Amino acid sequence: DVNSATPPLPTASPTPSTSSNASSSSPFPTPGDELVRDSIAKLDSKEYYSAPKCGRNTSSNVWNSFHVVKDRATNLEVGTAICIFCECVLSIRSGTSSLNKHRLHHCTGSMGDQTGSSGQFRLVPGPLRDVFIDKVADTCALTMGSIKLLTSPAVVELIQVAVDISSRCKGRVDMQQLMPCATTVINRIDARAQSMMTKLVPRVKQAIAEGRCQASTDMCTDDDQKRHFIAITVTFVDEEGKYSETHDLVVAKFPSSTKTTGVNVRNAMFRAMAEFGFTAPEFDAIQWITDRGANIIKALENDAR
């Protein structure tokens, strides 16, 4: 009798396999697990790549131990990060708490037993040295003078990064091996400046076109080398109209043999901005904020101030 037959017991669905990087107490994958597995696969296939975290939200020390994962086609972050010690991939969609937990309790990365020629120092891995080079570049860019250099907050933070790296290497590190040469730092600063300008210039152009950009200018002199510079700073309201941003747009050399007349100053200002693709109509459309310097006032006498 078909109606009286005992129905078969339901069979359990096979448990989906999960990556060793994706931690979950459930046998079924969470969206975070899927994101992590997708990132691992695309890192292996070179569709994704990892890079040091940059931008506004980089103040946490956790980013000394992790790189963000980015889509090679768009250069956008995909919502995961990779440990530079053990290459574990974690989701950061809900913040960085998982990164801190991994760093403090779960990281299995080993710096190895390699030592320097003296037998006392451990070699610093390439990704960690990259973190330090970024910090050196930040320090040199932010600390323009040398009088209070050694006690400046920027240098203190730089030293702290070196100490943290030494701790992560589980032993002393050779600062000669860790410290980049001047050329490397200059190249890193230039590369980061170019990257920043690539993103900033289109935003400034749009702000100028929409009448929400102001700029100020000033001249300064390097007393040691007797070189003159002209600087332009822009301030504009962001695209959503919520807050204002201020950026040092250009710092350009002003020929020491040229008199600082109004005409020469204005020409130098325009040449400096033209190097980044700004046109004469865009320059003329900027609303300028000036001090009472006679040459600056003369240079901008026909512009909106």
Side-chain angles (χ1 to χ4, degrees):
D1 185 354
V2 175
N3 293 326
S4 63
T6 303
L9 294 174
T11 58
S13 300
T15 301
S17 61
T18 59
S19 166
S20 60
N21 286 291
S23 59
S24 174
S25 59
S26 169
F28 298 100
T30 65
D33 295 335
E34 296 289 355
L35 179 64
V36 167
R37 281 201 294 272
D38 183 62
S39 293
I40 294 171
K42 291 183 177 179
L43 281 168
D44 289 340
S45 67
K46 308 300 182 183
E47 294 177 68
Y48 288 174
Y49 70 99
S50 62
K53 176 76 171 175
C54 59
R56 297 176 186 169
N57 302 319
T58 56
S59 58
S60 173
N61 287 335
V62 74
W63 292 114
N64 292 337
S65 303
F66 287 86
H67 284 180
V68 290
V69 178
K70 294 186 174 183
D71 189 325
R72 195 175 297 277
T74 63
N75 285 328
L76 297 178
E77 296 180 14
V78 299
T80 54
I82 184 169
C83 177
I84 63 178
F85 299 103
C86 66
E87 298 187 344
C88 177
V89 178
L90 298 168
S91 172
I92 54 173
R93 285 281 175 85
S94 300
T96 59
S97 59
S98 61
L99 305 188
N100 277 310
K101 290 179 182 178
H102 173 82
R103 182 179 62 165
L104 296 174
H105 304 295
H106 304 297
C107 182
T108 59
S110 172
M111 296 298 99
D113 296 325
Q114 295 175 309
T115 58
S117 58
S118 65
Q120 299 178 355
F121 297 113
R122 294 182 180 272
L123 293 178
V124 179
L128 266 184
R129 190 165 185 270
D130 204 49
V131 170
F132 190 74
I133 292 173
D134 277 335
K135 185 55 64 176
V136 173
D138 285 341
T139 302
C140 293
L142 294 173
T143 310
M144 301 299 291
S146 59
I147 297 177
K148 297 183 178 179
L149 176 62
L150 292 179
T151 57
S152 68
V155 171
V156 171
E157 187 177 353
L158 172 64
I159 295 171
Q160 184 61 58
V161 169
V163 172
D164 291 344
I165 289 175
S166 178
S167 175
R168 291 297 297 176
C169 288
K170 301 179 175 66
R172 295 182 68 201
V173 297
D174 186 355
M175 285 300 297
Q176 291 290 344
Q177 184 247 332
L178 178 62
M179 183 65 72
C181 67
T183 301
T184 300
V185 176
I186 291 171
N187 291 340
R188 183 64 60 91
I189 292 174
D190 287 344
R192 294 171 71 175
Q194 290 174 11
S195 176
M196 184 195 74
M197 292 300 289
T198 299
K199 299 174 183 177
L200 178 61
V201 168
R203 298 184 64 208
V204 175
K205 282 175 166 283
Q206 182 180 351
I208 293 173
E210 296 175 359
R212 49 184 174 84
C213 180
Q214 295 179 326
S216 60
T217 186
D218 200 1
M219 299 190 69
C220 57
T221 302
D222 182 342
D223 292 332
D224 293 331
Q225 300 187 23
K226 304 302 180 184
R227 294 184 301 179
H228 304 291
F229 297 90
I230 189 162
I232 297 175
T233 301
V234 293
T235 300
F236 58 90
V237 178
D238 77 303
E239 290 79 356
E240 297 179 358
K242 292 183 178 180
Y243 56 88
S244 63
E245 298 182 25
T246 299
H247 299 274
D248 294 327
L249 188 64
V250 294
V251 177
K253 291 181 181 179
F254 187 89
S256 56
S257 59
T258 303
K259 293 183 178 180
T260 56
T261 63
V263 173
N264 290 338
V265 169
R266 193 180 195 283
N267 289 339
M269 291 168 59
F270 175 68
R271 284 196 303 269
M273 293 191 67
E275 288 186 9
F276 293 98
F278 290 95
T279 64
E282 288 172 333
F283 184 87
D284 294 338
I286 296 174
Q287 183 178 10
W288 293 91
I289 302 172
T290 69
D291 57 17
R292 301 188 66 83
N295 54 350
I296 301 296
I297 292 176
K298 184 66 176 177
L300 299 171
E301 62 181 352
N302 296 322
D303 296 273
R305 289 190 292 124

